Amino acid sequence: MEIKYIEKVKKAFEMVHTKKPLVHHITNYVTVNDCANITLAIGASPIMADDIREVEAITSISSALVLNIGTLNERTVQAMLAAGEKANKLEIPVVFDPVGAGASELRNRTTEQILEKVQLSVLRGNMSEIRFIAGLEASTKGVDASDADINSGLAAGCSISETIAKKYGCVAAITGETDIVSDGQHTLLLENGTKLLSGITGTGCMCTSLIGSFCGATEDFLVAAAGGILCMGIAGEAAAEKVGKEGSGSLHKAIIDSVSNMNAEIFTKRAKIHEA
């Protein structure tokens, strides 16, 4: 089963490089530059447009739309909803990153609006964010998952991801020490990565951008989600091996370098993926 999915991810990766999809981001200003650079590194093309007067036009020419609620305001909420609805009309995949869902009323309300009004292709979040969306008890630490939620167990995570996927008709991805990706029928466990990634702002946002890049190149959104997450995990490992002892600044740069140097052989050698 592992070999089958690695081959599918490798094919999707090659399609990203062939198609060079335009990925429209309405994302947060803390990590916007990182998201743009990681999108370029994987072989796609980023565009960031959040004004309500142009989001529909930019979405219309894009191959995928990424919505990220890391730094919210009422203006961008309306832009996200307009872009999401336009993407749905044009059958353009939408990837949603509910950053900090559960932490404030604004984030909670916005998450509910997006889930209600926009058909998602992939929903990616940490365990606290996804538990909140599932209606379960969650104790978020701002934009990070709490230790209590992280330690809720792999079996519980698989069940939650499957339930969310079925409820919203999308691929649900929970990123953590072991990443869980489900379309409601098939659930994949991904085991690449390093704890050092948690010490750098934006690795989750960049992971979502990588998923968006894959979604812009393949209609298999389970594979797209797995591909984006594997890219980040493998890149984190490679960066840690190269400069991990030098500090988080060097690691940050090395992650983008590692993604830009990613190839099919590296996937074959390093990807750790199997079906639950």
Side-chain angles (χ1 to χ4, degrees):
M1 210 49 90
E2 177 177 340
I3 295 174
K4 179 180 77 171
Y5 283 109
I6 289 175
E7 290 301 315
K8 287 184 176 182
V9 169
K10 284 164 57 178
K11 182 178 180 180
F13 171 80
E14 291 166 354
M15 291 170 68
V16 172
H17 280 258
T18 299
K19 293 187 175 182
K20 301 185 185 304
L22 180 64
V23 183
H24 180 198
H25 293 69
I26 304 179
T27 188
N28 78 76
Y29 52 71
V30 175
T31 63
V32 63
N33 188 58
D34 292 328
C35 292
N37 279 320
I38 209 76
T39 301
L40 287 169
I42 197 64
S45 179
I47 186 167
M48 278 65 175
D50 63 8
D51 193 293
I52 191 68
R53 294 169 294 185
E54 70 166 347
V55 290
E56 292 187 31
I58 297 299
T59 299
S60 297
I61 62 170
S62 300
S63 299
L65 171 66
V66 171
L67 303 177
N68 177 310
I69 64 170
T71 50
L72 273 181
N73 60 65
E74 288 292 346
R75 177 182 62 82
T76 54
V77 171
Q78 297 309 311
M80 288 181 186
L81 293 172
E85 290 173 355
K86 186 67 172 182
N88 285 169
K89 289 179 181 178
L90 299 176
E91 298 185 343
I92 294 167
V94 181
V95 182
F96 178 40
D97 191 337
V99 179
S104 75
E105 180 57 33
L106 177 59
R107 291 172 192 265
N108 300 350
R109 187 175 71 250
T110 301
T111 297
E112 291 169 358
Q113 286 180 299
I114 290 174
L115 292 171
E116 178 184 346
K117 296 182 179 181
V118 180
Q119 175 59 54
L120 304 180
S121 301
V122 180
L123 170 64
R124 188 218 68 85
N126 63 38
M127 183 62 80
S128 292
E129 292 158 352
I130 301 300
R131 284 181 64 88
F132 168 78
I133 290 171
L136 301 173
E137 183 178 347
S139 50
T140 180
K141 292 193 332 184
V143 300
D144 298 317
S146 69
D147 290 338
D149 292 336
I150 291 171
N151 295 327
S152 59
L154 191 59
C158 290
S159 177
I160 293 167
S161 64
E162 291 169 7
T163 299
I164 290 291
K166 291 176 181 177
K167 181 176 181 179
Y168 293 106
C170 68
V171 172
I174 306 174
T175 49
E177 184 174 352
T178 296
D179 306 304
I180 305 167
V181 182
S182 180
D183 63 2
Q185 294 183 330
H186 303 283
T187 299
L188 307 179
L189 302 179
L190 318 177
E191 296 179 330
N192 290 98
T194 168
K195 291 183 178 180
L196 294 178
L197 287 171
S198 64
I200 300 173
T201 297
T203 53
C205 299
M206 287 189 277
C207 184
T208 301
S209 292
L210 291 171
I211 293 171
S213 300
F214 273 82
C215 284
T218 177
E219 294 180 356
D220 189 334
F221 301 131
L222 181 69
V223 169
I229 293 169
L230 283 173
C231 273
M232 179 55 70
I234 292 170
E237 290 175 351
E241 291 164 7
K242 185 176 181 180
V243 300
K245 294 182 180 180
E246 296 181 18
S248 57
S250 298
L251 187 70
H252 177 269
K253 178 178 179 293
I255 288 169
I256 295 176
D257 288 342
S258 296
V259 172
S260 68
N261 290 321
M262 195 74 63
N263 58 45
E265 291 181 8
I266 292 174
F267 273 115
T268 300
K269 181 180 179 181
R270 302 193 70 136
K272 299 174 184 175
I273 177 173
H274 60 274
E275 192 162 2

